[in-house]
């Protein structure tokens, strides 16, 4: 990780869960991390924690609503003005609503599309253009996907969400092909089998409580069946990807609890 010291990473959805754990780890390894979310107060607290711990890098909170194209582009403009640009982009932000295909609310479907697919694609494009403009040839774009991007569980609550994660799988493979055609050494990594991606199974974060915000009992039951992965487990996978030599392309990382069977 020495070559990343002092360089700039963007981590979306950095206020909680995997995003917060990833931002913290990258700061620990000396990176300048722009952590974005709608609620930056939690990122400010995390930044203070990193500073108190004496980490070699710095965490820079940035308020951004990823459903707004203007806010995303303004964020990249600010990063360019203040930090020259992005060297690593971790597309972590994602969400789910319990809206089945036969009865779900259109507004909830659109929200999932906006965050899980459109925002990820905009951040990817802007990060690549930032790297290209500065002739950065060893940059990295990491998409946090899900095992839901590779199999469909018999749970109507997450079928639409699953569709968005299948899209991330396809988008990441398409990105990998376009980067290869552009003859660049910028690498794209996502969580998925047979594709350049990192795909975790169940991770104990705020995901389930937010998914079932109207049903606390159902939310708590999600993590009661077996020991789930922790956010730090996934953050460590991101660090592993960044630690590989420039000539190595990580095709895919699948990870789940030893007790998870599907």
């Amino acid at each position: 990780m020495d070559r990343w010291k002092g360089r700039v990473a963007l981590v979306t959805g950095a206020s909680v869960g995997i995003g917060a754990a990833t931002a913290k780890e990258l700061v620990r390894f000396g990176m300048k991390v722009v952590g974005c979310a709608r609620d930056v107060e939690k990122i400010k607290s995390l930044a203070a924690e990193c500073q108190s711990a004496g980490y070699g890098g710095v965490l820079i909170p940035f308020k951004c609503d990823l459903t707004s194209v203007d806010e995303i582009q303004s964020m990249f403009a600010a990063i360019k003005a203040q930090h020259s640009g992005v060297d690593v982009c971790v597309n972590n932000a994602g969400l789910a609503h319990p809206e089945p295909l036969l009865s779900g609310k259109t507004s909830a479907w659109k929200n999932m599309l906006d965050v899980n697919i459109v925002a990820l694609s905009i951040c990817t494009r802007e990060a690549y253009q930032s790297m290209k403009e500065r002739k950065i040839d060893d940059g990295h774009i990491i998409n946090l996907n899900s095992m839901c991007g590779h199999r469909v569980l018999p749970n109507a609550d997450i079928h639409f969400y699953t569709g968005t994660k299948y899209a991330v799988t396809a988008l990441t493979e398409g990105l990998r092909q376009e980067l290869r055609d552009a003859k660049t050494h910028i690498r794209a990594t996502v969580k998925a089998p047979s594709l350049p991606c990192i795909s975790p199974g169940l991770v104990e974060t705020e995901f389930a409580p937010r998914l079932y915000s109207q049903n606390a009992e159902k939310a708590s039951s999600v993590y009661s069946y077996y020991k789930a992965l922790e956010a730090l487990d996934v953050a460590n996978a991101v660090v592993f990807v960044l630690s590989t030599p420039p000539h190595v392309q990580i095709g895919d990382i699948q990870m789940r609890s030893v007790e998870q069977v599907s």
Side-chain angles (χ1 to χ4, degrees):
M1 289 292 288
D2 285 349
R3 70 189 178 93
W4 295 111
K5 286 182 179 178
R7 298 183 69 179
V8 180
L10 169 66
V11 178
T12 66
S15 60
V16 295
I18 295 171
T22 299
K24 185 176 180 180
E25 283 300 287
L26 296 185
V27 171
R28 187 167 72 85
F29 281 102
M31 294 196 74
K32 189 182 297 183
V33 180
V34 177
C36 81
R38 287 178 300 175
D39 177 10
V40 294
E41 293 308 313
K42 291 180 179 179
I43 305 179
K44 289 178 181 178
S45 297
L46 185 61
E49 182 183 328
C50 291
Q51 185 175 18
S52 297
Y55 290 166
V58 61
L59 177 56
I60 304 153
F62 200 101
K63 184 178 178 62
C64 181
D65 180 353
L66 292 174
T67 65
S68 168
V69 178
D70 290 342
E71 287 197 26
I72 296 173
Q73 292 180 325
S74 293
M75 174 176 66
F76 274 91
I79 294 172
K80 178 180 179 179
Q82 298 168 23
H83 312 291
S84 297
V86 172
D87 301 309
V88 172
C89 178
V90 182
N91 286 314
N92 164 75
L95 54 80
H97 299 292
E99 302 292 346
L101 299 177
L102 299 182
S103 59
K105 297 182 183 67
T106 303
S107 58
W109 292 349
K110 286 184 175 180
N111 187 225
M112 285 185 271
L113 290 172
D114 284 343
V115 175
N116 298 0
I117 299 176
V118 178
L120 176 145
S121 298
I122 296 172
C123 288
T124 295
R125 180 191 67 204
E126 296 302 311
Y128 170 70
Q129 292 299 330
S130 172
M131 297 173 197
K132 181 181 177 183
E133 182 180 279
R134 293 174 297 123
K135 295 181 171 57
I136 298 297
D137 203 36
D138 66 341
H140 218 128
I141 298 167
I142 301 175
N143 290 342
L144 272 286
N145 198 356
S146 166
M147 288 297 289
C148 283
H150 312 288
R151 83 284 194 258
V152 181
L153 295 175
N155 180 351
D157 286 343
I158 60 170
H159 282 162
F160 194 93
Y161 167 79
T162 295
T164 68
K165 289 304 180 177
Y166 264 83
V168 172
T169 299
L171 289 168
T172 305
E173 174 61 12
L175 171 62
R176 187 186 65 80
Q177 293 179 13
E178 290 189 27
L179 290 173
R180 185 182 60 217
D181 290 344
K183 299 187 184 335
T184 175
H185 293 106
I186 295 170
R187 291 177 291 172
T189 303
V190 285
K191 300 185 174 185
S194 305
L195 292 172
C197 105
I198 301 173
S199 295
L202 186 65
V203 184
E204 188 167 358
T205 64
E206 291 75 7
F207 183 86
R210 289 181 174 183
L211 173 63
Y212 296 118
S213 59
Q214 305 302 314
N215 190 333
E217 183 177 350
K218 192 169 186 178
S220 63
S221 71
V222 171
Y223 302 122
S224 66
Y225 301 108
Y226 52 82
K227 170 64 177 175
L229 296 175
E230 298 176 2
L232 183 57
D233 297 327
V234 185
N236 285 336
V238 173
V239 170
F240 167 73
V241 167
L242 291 173
S243 299
T244 57
H247 69 279
V248 175
Q249 167 76 61
I250 298 297
D252 61 81
I253 296 178
Q254 296 183 65
M255 54 192 300
R256 59 186 175 188
S257 166
V258 294
E259 298 178 45
Q260 184 175 351
V261 296
S262 63

